Amino acid sequence: QVQLVESGGGVVQAGGSLRISCAASGRAFGTYGMGWFRQAPGKEREFVAAITSNGGRTYYADSVKGRFTISRDNAKNTVFLQMNSLKLEDTAVYYCAAGYDPIDTVVIVPDGWDYWGQGTQVTVSS
């Protein structure tokens, strides 16, 4: 069992940067793949980024590639999402997820992940 708590959301101007975090409790954090999803009002939850258990491989949605960076610190049971060059369309609730280790491929549908945080709101203003 893994409990996930996101933090660091807020309001930022377009073009700005923000880093959100996800703290995990429970054993074996270092064996889980970790991911970030987001959900805007009236839209389905969508994949943003994922990282393997050892941090050696990352995956990104095309919409955030080159702007967002996912990383993890297994010693601190924490995963991060650094968001740069933010756009209005990045506004959403961002959710942290834990699940299988995406060594060769990543599942981008939410049903493929086992544990979820409560979400943190990120609002990009003009």
Side-chain angles (χ1 to χ4, degrees):
Q1 192 80 6
V2 177
Q3 292 80 42
L4 305 172
V5 179
E6 301 94 335
S7 62
V11 179
V12 60
Q13 284 193 326
S17 297
L18 196 67
R19 189 177 81 158
I20 56 177
S21 303
C22 172
S25 60
R27 296 181 177 182
F29 171 78
T31 67
Y32 285 98
M34 298 298 297
W36 286 98
F37 287 73
R38 67 186 181 186
Q39 188 166 18
K43 295 189 176 181
E44 294 185 351
R45 192 170 298 190
E46 65 173 2
F47 171 79
V48 174
I51 188 167
T52 52
S53 61
N54 66 359
R57 188 167 183 179
T58 57
Y59 304 83
Y60 297 95
D62 288 343
S63 59
V64 307
K65 200 171 295 183
R67 300 188 298 121
F68 290 12
T69 302
I70 187 172
S71 61
R72 66 190 296 162
D73 184 341
N74 285 350
K76 296 183 178 179
N77 282 14
T78 304
V79 62
F80 306 97
L81 186 67
Q82 176 68 44
M83 302 181 289
N84 299 329
S85 302
L86 282 160
K87 304 177 180 180
L88 296 178
E89 53 264 41
D90 293 320
T91 295
V93 177
Y94 283 71
Y95 295 92
C96 174
Y100 85 109
D101 199 2
I103 297 173
D104 297 314
T105 187
V106 64
V107 174
I108 64 172
V109 293
D111 285 350
W113 294 77
D114 299 320
Y115 304 102
W116 292 88
Q118 83 291 346
T120 186
Q121 176 70 47
V122 173
T123 301
V124 183
S125 64
S126 58

